Amino acid sequence: YPVQKGVLVYIRSGTVHYISVEKEPIVWIGCNFDFFRTHSAYIPPTSAIPAVKFNPDDVLEKTLFSDSELFSDTIYLIDVPFEPLFSRIVREYAEFSRFSDEICSAQLKELLFKVAKCSTLQTQSIQRQAEEILVYIHGHYAEKLTNKAIAERFSYHPNYISALIRSATGVPLHRYLMQYRVHRATILLQSTDMSVSEIGAEIGMPDLKAFSKCFTSVTGSPPSSYRSRERG
């Protein structure tokens, strides 16, 4: 993988690799992930070693993910804005003060999710398109939204809208819209005294039976039971 400023390479743990510099020296930030904290008592070398000095026994773990298969392969991203986040992690790690470990862990988790998001959406332009559409959905979820209606709003083909939403959220538009409407309904159930039918109408699902069935399929309980449980 050719590297330059702004390139990020994620390599699955246990993968033997090396860095080859053709011309001028490079400055890079490296990070070793201990996903399951099985080696938290051991502080491995943070700097790279010459390939000829590699010892297979130095590999601490070989991790494969079944629930997040994306991280079981190499990820190569070009022109990603992760340097500020990396720099914050490095500063916090070097400070070694109270809560530094917890802060670094949270920031590394943020980094992994951003890597996954960018890798899934492939390019920043596609990411911006997806975010614009999701913002639109969040502002018009109570309306009748379809691939065709959103495609006309953004001047895209309906099939492209469908692929974009699935790439950004992992689910088709109708499923994402259902989940988001239920999410808004849970907020109203917890924070207002609106009736279940009023809440259904408010989120764009005026059919009470359909709303209750949809809500139950997402949360595991009917709206009224959910309200009683959450309010104690």
Side-chain angles (χ1 to χ4, degrees), residues 163-216:
L164 200 61
I165 295 300
R166 182 182 285 275
S167 178
T169 67
V171 294
L173 172 63
H174 71 277
R175 180 68 185 179
Y176 179 77
L177 185 57
M178 180 180 72
Q179 291 175 343
Y180 188 74
R181 282 172 170 165
V182 169
H183 166 68
R184 299 302 304 179
T186 60
I187 295 175
L188 294 174
L189 286 167
Q190 295 179 58
S191 61
T192 74
D193 292 323
M194 296 171 63
S195 67
V196 172
S197 59
E198 289 174 334
I199 290 176
E202 180 73 14
I203 66 168
M205 301 186 73
D207 186 320
L208 180 59
K209 185 177 180 180
F211 167 54
S212 181
K213 182 179 180 180
C214 173
F215 190 95
T216 303

Side-chain angles (χ1 to χ4, degrees), residues 34-126:
D34 182 9
F35 287 102
F36 305 106
R37 305 304 294 264
T38 52
H39 304 281
S40 57
Y42 172 70
I43 303 177
T46 55
S47 59
I49 62 172
V52 294
K53 294 185 178 181
F54 170 72
N55 181 355
D57 294 334
D58 292 338
V59 177
L60 298 179
E61 62 181 18
K62 295 182 179 181
T63 306
L64 283 174
F65 295 95
S66 58
D67 57 341
S68 189
E69 295 180 357
L70 180 70
F71 292 113
S72 291
D73 202 353
T74 300
I75 300 175
Y76 176 73
L77 299 174
I78 301 174
D79 191 25
V80 288
F82 292 156
E83 188 173 344
L85 178 54
F86 264 119
S87 297
R88 292 207 313 268
I89 295 171
V90 170
R91 287 197 302 270
E92 189 65 45
Y93 181 80
E95 188 175 293
F96 199 64
S97 59
R98 190 180 185 188
F99 303 123
S100 284
D101 185 59
E102 288 79 7
I103 293 173
C104 283
S105 181
Q107 291 176 335
L108 288 170
K109 187 174 183 179
E110 177 187 356
L111 174 65
L112 283 173
F113 277 117
K114 287 187 174 181
V115 167
K117 184 176 182 180
C118 289
S119 179
T120 302
L121 295 176
Q122 298 177 356
T123 68
Q124 288 189 24
S125 62
I126 293 178

